[in-house]
Amino acid sequence: MVNSQQNNRLASGGLLVDREHPITFSFAGKDFIGFAGDSIASALAANDQWLISRSFKYHRARAVLTMAGQDANTLVQLPSDPNVLADRTEISQGMRVDGQNYSGSLENDLGRHIEKVGRFMPVGFYYKAFYKPAGVWEKWAPLIRKKAGLGEIDEQFEPEYYDKAYAFYDIVVVGAGPAGMSAAIQAAEQGAKVLLVDENPVLGGSLSYDRLDAKGEVAPALRAGMIADIEASDNIDVMLEAICNGYFADNWLPVIQAKRLLKVRAKEMIMAVGALEQQAVFHNNDLPGVMMSSAVLRLIKLYGVRPGKRAVVLTGNEQGYSAALEMLDAGIEVVAIAELRDSPPISELMQAVSDRGVEIYQNHAVYAAQPSSDKKHLAQVELRAQLGRGACANSGELISCDLLCMAVGYTPTYQLVCQAGGQLSYDDESAVFTLKGLPKAAQIVGSVNGNWSTDAVCGDGYRAAVLACNRLAQQSKTITEISEPAPIADDSAASPNYSWPIFPHPKGKEFVDYDEDLQIADIVNATRDGYEHVQLVKRYSTCGMGPSQGRHSALATARIVAQATGKSVAQTGVTTARPPFAPERLGHLAGRSFYPARYTSMHQRHVEAGAQMLQAGAWYRPAYYGASDQRDACINAEVNNVRENVGLVDVSTLGGIELRGPDAAEMLNRIYTFGFLKQPVGRARYALMTNEAGVVIDDGVSCRFHDQLFYVTATTGGVDRVYQSMLKWNAQWCLDVDIANVTSAWCAVNIAGPKARDVLAKVCTDVDLDSEAFPYMGVREGHVAGIEARLIRVGFVGELGYEIHVPQHCGEALWDALMQAGSEQGIKPFGIEAQRVLRLEKGHIIIGQDTDAMSTPQEVQMGWAVSAKKPFFVGHRVIKELNEIGQYRALVGFVVDDLSAPIPLESHLVIEGEKMTGRVTSCNFSPTLGKPVGMVYVPPHKAEPGSEIEIRSSGGVMVTAKVVELPFYDPQTERQAL
Amino acid sequence: MSEFITATADSVLRRSQLYHLQQSEGAQFAKYQDAVVVKQFSSNDSQQVKSLGVADLSTLPRSGFKGKHTPQWLEQQGVTIPEQPNCATKQNDGALVARLSEQEHLILSDLAMAGSLAQILEQSWSIEPDYMCYSLPRRDSHAWLYLSGEHVRAMLAKVCGIDLSAVEFANGQIAQTSIARINGILIRDDLNDDTAGFHLLCDSSSVIFVWQSLLDAMAEFDGKPVGLAALLEN
Amino acid sequence: MKQMNCPLNGLRNISEFIYGGEYHPMPDPQQCDKREWVEHVFFHENAAGEVTEWWCHSATSYWFLARRNSITDEIIETFPASKLFNKRVDFSAAQGES
């Protein structure tokens, strides 16, 4: 029952298929049955369904070409996956497969009629036709894109789990054909840890399907022996159905298998990536039924599928005869061999074919192929005698057939090799690309290295493995060194490349690039339009830009461009190959990315108190406490509570750096702008940091707890940079100071407000909190609620306040103790939004918000924080010079009196006439002042208090603001000194 | 060896940054000297330690010292310091001394807290003018996790770009590197001859993220968090 | 991904390092003329060929220097900063600093 539907399934054979397990799936709405292990394409072929897709531009019928995923002909749609390669995707029970790029149905694509106007759509048609008048492209583009589109994405998709991992090997071998297997076996033998990667489901590469001798016995035996060796080795990890999708510096290889991206580091890399078979270029060479000889072999040997019933072989090498023998053995009628070469030496394979009565037409080409009446399959080919390079006799012989097998040569799979730095060159004599110039720990072996005969291919793998192992042996305990083998003899005589399998036809349709429906004339015309360089040809004609990325068009394109421009193919070259080699899923790139998050030790308390958390850098911080629809009211209440009572804010994210040692003060003195040598123990000083260009880059407070111990705070986002910068400077200065980043060791709160002291006094009894004894900018060590603490009297929010720093693990205990102690005074937590408003009212800048990459201390009114008497600090000289020049802008405060005006936002511009003369850096409604206040950069002539400026606010509304003296709140600084 | 004392942890005890998370993961806590530890996650902990487990040792004692006189001072205190940076040496009392650079050393208590080198060093240290050996608050600055089991290397390969294979990364070797994009200190300290193990120290504010990243990476191997009791059985 | 040999930590992925700019000795900030200082701060050689650069291993905040070929991107050698800086640098004494 089941088999009866698979009319093209051969009675036996098929390395990959399991005939015991039939699988039902559908294609374009029809049900089909294949076997487990079948690809979509092989299962369809078994059922005589050849048409798989419609071409990109002309909607021509397309079918199996390479059976190796190297063409776009087999792109199909799965329900949640567009652009799936039907020849590389295994069928599964119930799988629903559809064609792509057609209107109506695949079998009856309404879009196919576009071909009739094809001659009016030359290369560059879209550029030329829709370029003028301006704006017309925007109207056409959606229609054209719809016509040209490929698959459809599934907008209902469910996210899936993809991840990444690292792996390390002595030697990574990419490609498990005879060369790669030889290399892996030898490397393992010498003790190397080897990863062998192959994109196929089985080991063997071409040995799995190719026929090396007339009887077809050599390849299977060789393959079986090597697989046995690999399986017996403990040193070889094999990854099948895995693709090495790029080459990055120092042998860093992304290997994708299923839902994992493996980032592999190889001490040595051996690329045994093989070669890609190329099509002959002739009229209608894209018809279903026209395929590569390797595709014919794969269908028969890997899947047990008959590629056709009546075949013609076009060949310029031995492989055409291998395929012919394989077809004959499979019961396919081989009616003729068009041998491109003129009287080649008779080989064993050729003789065997001849002995079986197949007529060989020497020095003949397939000049054209003709379709069946429904245009969906090959019906006949026209053989003509060759008269010269690409030229044929005026008439020939028509032979009916449903299969044309092309065997005209290969290009090395150069993509990975070129990414590694390999240079591609072309030997016009042998018509072969060669690769040279790899990095020192990478090698190419096998056909990609120009070796074709089995002995040369295997010997090449062996040789490379020995070289790699011998290099590694110098630094390895497990790898042994052996004597170096002799170089491989030149194998170019075995090259399968026929020099010029390109036959122009007056009606065109000799496809160079199937993906983009590009014909000989398109390539030639691109050069005539002035795009002579192969890179320009690519971009103008789109040749090689389709899904198969030039895998079967690069060689033909290079040849045609070379001929059209009068250069050699070597001079013409091919376009750059960049990673990825094959399409990769966004899931592989997105999967398992890490987004670090940091939490303070009081985090749980914020959550419990109903905080809206926001992420600032990696840190989670409370923005404000309360419902998000009450945001502004919450923030205003928090501000008011600090001004009137007392508030508590988590400032654990502040950076903390300890400088210890005889030169601790000297170090600070060089790093920060102020003077620190005479800073008394028990006192804090504002610390402003500039870079060598005199630009403000960080600030904090320096606290001296001991003659040789300073605890310096830094901004949340800046501390790592500040710490590293201190270390870098001291790597040069060699001062006797030890610098430690202790940010995470301490957590901290700021308790601020007129009642802060009353609250603190309840839980801190070993420090005299009296303002005389512990004044503003004093620092003390003591205990808060029994916890050892560093207390710093600071005034960032402009009220009486204490920063209390305690060991990280005591955060919750400190928070709880202060909240409890302050309940009587109405203590409430406040978030960073309220803190921003409070500091703005007090006119304190935030580095990075109110400063930019050009801000000097003078500009931001911090001249007072710069010591004029020090011999040196970082930025000193430039600040000195700049002060002599004078400033071109100033950061000033402003208020907006018109309460109906839209409140200016950060980065809104100051406009004077036609000019932009400044920008807002901070602006908020001030609950304390009852109007918007902010800071803004203005030119010097607007910096005087009382100046009026025009700010272009939201919606383009011009808002008048008045420059005022900073701070907005408590100008006499009485409140923080309470 | 210290005793586990059944206790409901409250805020006066030294608790891990992971405490709230571990509560929701079903941890059984116990008081262990001055700290709260997870005694057990499940009755399967002992098996888990051998296949793939992560234990939170953040509340166990540790200390650190840095500055150019540090090697000299530590030797005066009877500490055997590793000859090379990025190596760790077991002390007689079971503590592990990790040399992080020429001058910087980290001292990790043995898990049973049988010895007390880390605490003794911290207590005997004080800042002396011009003597450059300075204490580092390692018990607060860093969280401390221990990863062990058959699959530990395969799991770490998902979060850490260093070759940790047995051949390349010897017992006692240290890697200061990026783990799940967080800077961390990884010390190979096998649980016993059969079970590989690594200490992982990272910034304490990042440990929740690291813990979650590790559990995610472990899921593939059925890795689970484990309590301290299971480690002490070994 | 490229690798670099950190003198403290050994061979690591380049993503573990932070570039710290070209190495060039600082002129005497008190004595040098304006132009010399401006060139020191704002001008970079950006040389094609062998360059010496500051690098920092981020997990350990360890600064060191690397000689690199900026054309081939080959790292020729890395070495500790102490190879170039081994004695204390002082600037002229403070003048009545407060």
Side-chain angles (χ1 to χ4, degrees), chain B residues 38-224:
Chain B
V38 178
K39 183 186 172 191
Q40 183 182 305
F41 266 98
S42 92
S43 55
N44 198 36
D45 279 9
S46 307
Q47 284 311 307
Q48 205 64 57
V49 162
K50 295 188 183 96
S51 61
L52 181 58
V54 55
D56 176 19
L57 310 180
S58 293
T59 54
L60 266 53
R62 57 197 172 282
S63 54
F65 300 91
K66 184 166 171 264
K68 72 178 178 192
H69 297 125
T70 300
Q72 179 191 334
W73 184 77
L74 285 173
E75 279 175 342
Q76 280 166 14
Q77 311 302 310
V79 175
T80 311
I81 61 173
E83 283 178 21
Q84 298 285 329
N86 284 319
C87 293
T89 305
K90 272 266 161 53
Q91 307 295 307
N92 289 334
D93 84 332
L96 190 66
V97 172
R99 185 170 195 166
L100 301 179
S101 69
E102 287 297 332
Q103 303 171 358
E104 184 174 350
H105 293 72
L106 166 70
I107 296 99
L108 300 175
S109 161
D110 66 296
L111 306 194
M113 292 202 234
S116 48
L117 181 66
Q119 302 99 303
I120 289 170
L121 289 173
E122 204 155 49
Q123 282 152 17
S124 48
W125 176 86
S126 63
I127 186 165
E128 300 288 338
D130 299 344
Y131 191 76
M132 295 194 60
C133 171
Y134 303 104
S135 172
L136 290 169
R138 287 294 191 187
R139 207 174 174 184
D140 281 296
S141 66
H142 281 65
W144 176 11
L145 308 177
Y146 185 75
L147 302 150
S148 68
E150 187 192 341
H151 302 292
V152 68
R153 291 191 177 87
M155 185 279 289
L156 281 170
K158 294 167 76 177
V159 295
C160 172
I162 298 228
D163 188 355
L164 299 170
S165 61
V167 179
E168 297 284 335
F169 199 76
N171 206 19
Q173 204 168 324
I174 300 173
Q176 300 179 70
T177 185
S178 169
I179 292 124
R181 279 185 65 204
I182 298 293
N183 288 333
I185 303 167
L186 207 52
I187 307 171
R188 179 171 162 200
D189 181 20
D190 290 348
L191 194 60
N192 51 47
D193 289 345
D194 302 322
T195 306
F198 295 86
H199 300 284
L200 167 57
L201 291 104
C202 69
D203 176 284
S204 53
S205 67
S206 300
V207 71
I208 292 174
F209 166 76
V210 170
W211 180 262
Q212 287 168 335
S213 300
L214 289 172
L215 290 185
D216 177 55
M218 288 163 77
E220 173 186 357
F221 311 99
D222 284 325
K224 299 254 163 33

Side-chain angles (χ1 to χ4, degrees), chain A residues 161 163 166 168 260 267 592 594-595 598-599 601 660-662 708 736 738-739 744-745 808-809 812, chain B residues 14-15 17 20 66 68 130 134-135 140 157-158 160 163 168 181 203-205 209 213 216-217 220:
Chain A
Y161 192 94
D163 77 357
Y166 297 89
F168 304 86
R260 178 165 289 172
K267 288 180 186 155
R592 228 197 140 70
F594 298 108
Y595 298 100
R598 298 176 78 180
Y599 301 89
S601 55
R660 299 170 294 194
Q708 295 191 0
D736 270 337
D738 182 76
I739 305 161
S744 292
Q808 180 275 139
H809 74 275
E812 285 182 5
Chain B
R14 183 177 277 274
R15 294 188 314 209
Q17 279 279 77
H20 296 290
K66 184 166 171 264
K68 72 178 178 192
D130 299 344
Y134 303 104
S135 172
D140 281 296
K158 294 167 76 177
C160 172
D163 188 355
E168 297 284 335
R181 279 185 65 204
D203 176 284
S204 53
S205 67
F209 166 76
S213 300
D216 177 55
E220 173 186 357

